[in-house]
């Protein structure tokens, strides 16, 4: 694999990784945390990924030489390739099904290998050549066991395009290893990069990179001593954005009398737009940045989301605050020169995920019986990356208040009973899930001496005796979750409740009388 600055190979039977310059010069070996026995590599622009022919995928920072994280894939991983368009991977182990999955390890589909491709050791994603996208596999099949296999996407069917690397590269006894595709190896080209194990690292041209604006003829021929020949250089600025474009014309001679290089610069006039628009999300903000090629000196930049202007900036960065999560947005940026606007950048697409930990925390309720049976609720703010706009209060599943901006609420003048409360945090894009509930018990019938209501024994494991100073009309028993486990109509001042079949725990006995209701707590052992 390559990050555009270095080439990296792995040691399948050890913990070492190896770093090379882009021209193949060996630099060093190093280890990367707990990662080891890694086969093929993939690169997402920030981190490297690979597996040890197992379902565990290492996410690795080769600069810090640490493992950032690991996650489980739905397949054993030997060959691996990264699809930057879908932010997903393709992997398999030898001849197992080629499986697509994301960075959570979720399975996004698979297909069987064959009819030619098998024994894969390297994958690379191609969205650059004609007819793309493709997945290329580097397989230990064919006459030299170094075969490139082209598969169409998304179905994975082999296209019938195969190439024997050993027909042009001196692979010797080496067999197919890891593979990548990159445009930093040779200017103006997308190229395959691979290793024939223990023998060499090879590169092969895939297709041209970027717009083709220069061509020459003639590009070969023979000259006698003292002769000369005109070579025509053709420049085509069609569809090129304003800016400065550079190329080199390389000459080789046989016999070798020198290898001159002619540098060519093409300046396309007009208002030069920014380049390299990129971005990332921070909570629900989208943070954009971009570059300006040489020759541009704009006064400011205009920022567009889905084709609609949303702001301006005098620096090469902009934050679009509080966007809707789970919605794909397309951003572009144009440079402004003296009030005139350039063309926009290529679009940058991003979807911000819904933040986690949106729920209110630590909800507690306290009954203040002398004060007309009030219940005071308190809670803590969510641990999410942004604060909610307000809170909604629910009692027994029904909303009783909304638009609450404090972290407390008083629910007043309640009858005796057992109440369940929860709080929902309200955000600009959606409501959170309910908080953990809290349960509040209001006993009631305060005119009677509490000692006259006798419920014993407590704790109990068999029969519970209930004696009251007034006639009971209904007895209900609720478990600690607020579920009714007994509901009996009675007309008596003495009653027995059989709790022998109850699970151990806390229960609440609610007694209804003509004078009101009362709730008492008991423990069942």
């Amino acid at each position: 694999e390559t990050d555009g600055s270095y080439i990296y190979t792995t040691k399948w039977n050890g913990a070492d990784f190896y770093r090379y310059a882009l021209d193949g010069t060996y630099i060093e070996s190093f280890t990367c945390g707990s990662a080891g026995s890694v086969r093929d590599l993939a690169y997402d622009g920030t981190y490297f990924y690979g597996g040890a022919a197992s379902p565990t995928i290492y996410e690795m920072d080769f600069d810090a030489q640490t493992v950032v994280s690991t996650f489980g894939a739905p397949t054993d991983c030997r060959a691996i390739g990264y699809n930057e368009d879908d932010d997903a991977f393709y992997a398999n182990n030898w001849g197992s099904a080629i499986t697509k999955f994301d960075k959570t390890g979720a399975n996004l589909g698979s297909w069987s290998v064959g009819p030619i491709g098998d024994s894969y050791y390297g994958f690379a994603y191609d969205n650059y050549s004609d007819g793309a996208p493709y997945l290329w596999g580097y397989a230990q099949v064919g006459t030299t066991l170094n075969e490139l296999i082209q598969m169409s996407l998304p179905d994975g069917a082999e296209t019938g395009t195969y190439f024997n690397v050993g027909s042009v590269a001196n692979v010797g006894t080496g067999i197919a290893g890891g593979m990548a595709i990159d445009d930093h190896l040779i200017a103006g080209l997308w190229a395959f990069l691979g290793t024939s194990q223990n023998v060499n690292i090879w590169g092969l041209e895939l297709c041209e990179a970027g717009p083709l604006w220069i061509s020459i003829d003639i590009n070969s021929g023979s000259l006698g001593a003292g002769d000369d020949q005109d070579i025509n250089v053709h420049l085509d600025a069609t569809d090129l954005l304003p800016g400065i474009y550079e190329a080199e014309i390389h000459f080789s001679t046989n016999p070798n009398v020198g290898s001159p290089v002619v540098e060519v610069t093409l300046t396309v006039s007009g208002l030069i737009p920014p380049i390299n628009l990129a971005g990332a999300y921070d909570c629900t903000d989208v943070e954009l940045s971009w570059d300006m090629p040489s020759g541009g000196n704009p006064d400011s930049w205009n920022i567009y989301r889905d084709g609609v202007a949303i702001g301006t900036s005098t620096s090469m960065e902009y934050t679009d605050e509080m966007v809707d999560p789970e919605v794909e947005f397309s951003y572009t940026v144009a440079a402004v020169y003296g009030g005139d606007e350039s063309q926009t950048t290529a679009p940058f697409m991003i979807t911000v995920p819904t933040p986690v930990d949106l729920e209110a925390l630590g909800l507690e309720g306290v009954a203040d019986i002398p004060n007309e049976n009030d219940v005071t609720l308190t809670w803590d703010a969510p641990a999410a990356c942004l604060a909610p706009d307000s809170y909604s209060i629910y009692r027994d599943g029904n909303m009783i208040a909304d638009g609450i901006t404090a972290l407390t609420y008083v629910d007043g003048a309640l009858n005796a009973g057992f109440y369940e409360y929860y709080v929902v945090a309200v955000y600009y894009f959606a409501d959170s899930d309910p908080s953990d509930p809290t349960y509040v018990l209001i006993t009631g019938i305060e005119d009677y001496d509490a000692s006259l209501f006798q419920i014993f024994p407590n704790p109990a494991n068999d029969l519970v005796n209930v004696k009251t100073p007034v006639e009971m009309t209904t007895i209900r028993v609720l478990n600690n979750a607020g579920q009714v486990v007994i509901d009996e109509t009675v007309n008596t001042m003495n009653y027995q409740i059989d709790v022998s079949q109850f699970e151990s725990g806390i229960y609440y006995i609610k007694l209804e009388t003509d004078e009101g209701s009362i709730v008492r707590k008991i423990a069942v052992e």
Side-chain angles (χ1 to χ4, degrees), residues 144-454:
T144 68
L145 303 183
N146 284 266
E147 195 82 9
L148 293 178
I149 311 290
Q150 185 189 64
M151 291 165 275
S152 63
L153 292 175
D155 60 6
E158 292 182 5
T159 65
T161 296
Y162 314 106
F163 188 79
N164 175 14
V165 176
S167 67
V168 294
N170 185 20
V171 299
T173 59
I175 55 179
M179 183 184 64
I181 293 174
D182 192 75
D183 62 344
H184 293 87
L185 302 175
I186 298 294
L189 292 178
W190 287 101
F192 292 107
L193 174 71
T195 177
S196 181
Q197 293 189 37
N198 298 323
V199 173
N200 62 15
I201 298 172
W202 53 261
L204 295 175
E205 177 182 342
L206 172 62
C207 62
E208 292 170 339
L212 182 62
W213 54 268
I214 183 171
S215 60
I216 61 174
D217 67 76
I218 57 174
N219 56 23
S220 65
S222 299
L223 291 176
D227 292 343
D228 57 59
Q229 172 70 55
D230 290 336
I231 295 178
N232 298 311
V233 179
H234 304 279
L235 305 180
D236 183 359
T238 304
D239 298 327
L240 294 183
L241 295 176
I244 297 173
Y245 296 81
E246 297 178 339
E248 293 178 343
I249 302 173
H250 289 251
F251 291 84
S252 59
T253 57
N254 184 23
N256 185 6
V257 292
S259 302
V261 176
V262 178
E263 295 181 350
V264 181
T265 299
L266 172 66
T267 301
V268 179
S269 62
L271 304 179
I272 303 176
I275 60 172
N276 300 332
L277 175 62
Y281 65 85
D282 180 11
C283 195
T284 59
D285 296 344
V286 174
E287 299 176 341
L288 302 171
S289 63
W290 55 90
D291 298 322
M292 176 57 60
S294 60
N297 187 25
D299 305 314
S300 62
W301 288 266
N302 290 338
I303 295 87
Y304 294 84
R305 182 180 65 207
D306 294 337
V308 178
I310 60 171
T312 62
S313 176
T314 56
S315 63
M316 287 184 286
E317 57 186 16
Y318 180 83
T319 299
D320 188 15
E321 298 180 345
M322 300 177 67
V323 304
D324 289 337
E326 309 302 337
V327 177
E328 185 177 60
F329 293 106
S330 173
Y331 290 91
T332 54
V333 177
V336 179
Y337 300 82
D340 294 327
E341 189 178 80
S342 74
Q343 294 175 276
T344 62
T345 60
F348 170 74
M349 313 295 293
I350 191 171
T351 301
V352 175
T354 301
V356 298
D357 301 325
L358 297 175
E359 299 80 18
L361 302 172
L363 177 63
E364 294 183 351
V366 177
D368 184 12
I369 295 172
N371 188 21
E372 298 183 348
N373 292 358
D374 288 350
V375 171
T376 300
L377 301 171
T378 58
W379 60 92
D380 295 326
C385 56
L386 76 167
D389 299 327
S390 63
Y391 299 92
S392 298
I393 316 301
Y394 288 77
R395 183 207 316 132
D396 295 337
N398 298 309
M399 187 171 70
I400 59 172
D402 62 359
I404 306 301
T405 55
L407 297 177
T408 185
Y409 177 78
V410 177
D411 187 19
L414 296 168
N415 294 324
F418 183 79
Y419 297 98
E420 179 192 61
Y421 291 91
Y422 60 81
V423 173
V424 171
V426 178
Y427 297 85
Y428 71 90
F429 53 86
D431 293 351
S432 75
D433 291 334
S435 68
D436 290 337
T438 189
Y439 299 96
V440 179
L441 171 67
I442 297 179
T443 56
I445 315 184
E446 297 306 318
D447 292 338
Y448 284 89
D449 186 342
S451 65
L452 298 178
F453 290 85
Q454 300 180 49

